[in-house]
Amino acid sequence: MKLRVGYELVYECAQSTPMLLMLNTHSSRAPDMVVPDHVITHPWVSLRQYHDSFGNLCTRLTAPPGVLTLSARGVFEVPPHHELIGSNNYQNAVEELPDECLMFLLGSRYCETDLLSEVAWQMFGHTPLGGTRVQAICDFVHSHIRFDYNCARPTKTAWQTWQDGVGVCRDYAHLAVALCRAMNIPARYCTGYISDVGLPPPYPPMDFCAWFEAYLGNSWETFDPRNNAPRTGRILMARGRDAADVAISNTFGPTSLIRFMVVCEPDG
């Protein structure tokens, strides 16, 4: 099955403004790419790209004063059936973990493992190790948080989400990541596209989505506490310690986002 993905973001800049974007799909999806999702700007501005330490493709540009439109359209092959989520049930001991996994055991900007460690062990210390424990964490997060766009805020952390019990998909992911790390399970935050293929209408407005990956049995396994069910068509854009590492845009000057539109739907 082919899936068409893309976006249109319109910014208004009061002055010439440097920007750092993370708006391309991840290089791990390159084998599935039918049409590349090149970043297009209007008016035209010069772009420069590089890969960060997490392997994400980043774009640098300087927006001119006024209105700048950023857009992309790509097409990807995806399996026409539900994905398998969290199928590996082996949990590596900390001393067995590869060096590159250790950073995903530590606290980060939005995932305060120190504040949630006691809570995590009280709730999940009795559960079986591995994927079963991660799924128990996802089940708790899914039921504990009430989804509400009106309660979203860019500064909300995992600890605050646990206290508030309300948030959006990034808050679900942050809380689950923090709880996994507190239980000695490496977890990394992911963002990208998730389609509504196979779900009954009505469909909410499309948005970029967040989920996470847990390191189990010497591989990274996908978990999605927001939806807490397999989906058809999940395309990774970026991954990191938490949302601070994968912001779709960082602007270094006064800007306003005046239009935001995301597409993720069957092609043809």
Side-chain angles (χ1 to χ4, degrees):
M1 182 180 75
K2 290 183 174 64
L3 202 64
R4 182 171 61 253
V5 301
Y7 55 83
E8 184 178 86
L9 310 178
V10 182
Y11 290 88
E12 188 168 24
C13 305
Q15 61 194 40
S16 181
T17 305
M19 300 180 72
L20 174 61
L21 312 174
M22 210 169 290
L23 285 169
N24 287 98
T25 47
H26 198 268
S27 59
S28 60
R29 297 309 305 253
D32 308 316
M33 185 182 293
V34 179
V35 177
D37 58 330
H38 295 307
V39 178
I40 299 171
T41 68
H42 182 79
W44 180 89
V45 297
S46 177
L47 307 177
R48 183 166 72 83
Q49 294 188 312
Y50 71 95
H51 286 91
D52 67 10
S53 58
F54 300 104
N56 305 316
L57 183 58
C58 307
T59 301
R60 297 182 63 178
L61 61 84
T62 300
V67 174
L68 174 69
T69 300
L70 305 169
S71 63
R73 290 291 185 274
V75 177
F76 290 80
E77 287 279 2
V78 299
H81 50 74
H82 285 339
E83 63 197 338
L84 293 177
I85 291 185
S87 58
N88 198 319
N89 216 38
Y90 176 75
Q91 181 174 329
N92 300 75
V94 173
E95 60 269 24
E96 297 174 352
L97 291 170
D99 296 343
E100 59 269 20
C101 288
L102 295 180
M103 75 168 74
F104 299 109
L105 280 180
L106 306 177
S108 56
R109 165 69 178 86
Y110 292 106
C111 300
E112 311 100 320
T113 53
D114 53 344
L115 297 179
L116 286 162
S117 180
E118 183 176 353
V119 170
W121 281 98
Q122 287 176 351
M123 290 194 296
F124 306 109
H126 65 284
T127 58
L129 297 175
T132 301
R133 177 168 287 182
V134 179
Q135 188 56 55
I137 290 172
C138 290
D139 292 343
F140 165 76
V141 171
H142 181 76
S143 62
H144 179 72
I145 300 175
R146 175 175 58 84
F147 188 89
D148 190 341
Y149 270 119
N150 295 322
C151 294
R153 63 178 189 270
T155 59
K156 181 179 281 189
T157 68
W159 171 255
Q160 292 167 337
T161 300
W162 179 74
Q163 292 180 309
D164 296 348
V166 64
V168 293
C169 59
R170 61 174 264 161
D171 302 313
Y172 286 76
H174 282 151
L175 181 54
V177 164
L179 292 171
C180 284
R181 292 176 184 173
M183 301 301 296
N184 297 331
I185 303 169
R188 61 190 185 186
Y189 180 95
C190 301
T191 186
Y193 301 95
I194 302 178
S195 82
D196 289 325
V197 171
L199 299 180
Y203 304 120
M206 187 57 63
D207 197 353
F208 296 122
C209 300
W211 61 92
F212 76 99
E213 295 169 341
Y215 192 81
L216 298 167
N218 301 314
S219 65
W220 289 99
E221 300 281 342
T222 297
F223 291 87
D224 183 351
R226 162 66 178 100
N227 297 296
N228 209 31
R231 299 294 286 263
T232 301
R234 184 187 304 268
I235 297 180
L236 179 70
M237 294 176 71
R239 57 166 68 103
R241 292 166 297 184
D242 57 33
D245 290 330
V246 300
I248 61 171
S249 67
N250 285 290
T251 60
F252 303 92
T255 58
S256 299
L257 179 61
I258 59 177
R259 176 171 165 76
F260 178 88
M261 185 271 292
V262 176
V263 172
C264 182
E265 58 190 15
D267 182 57

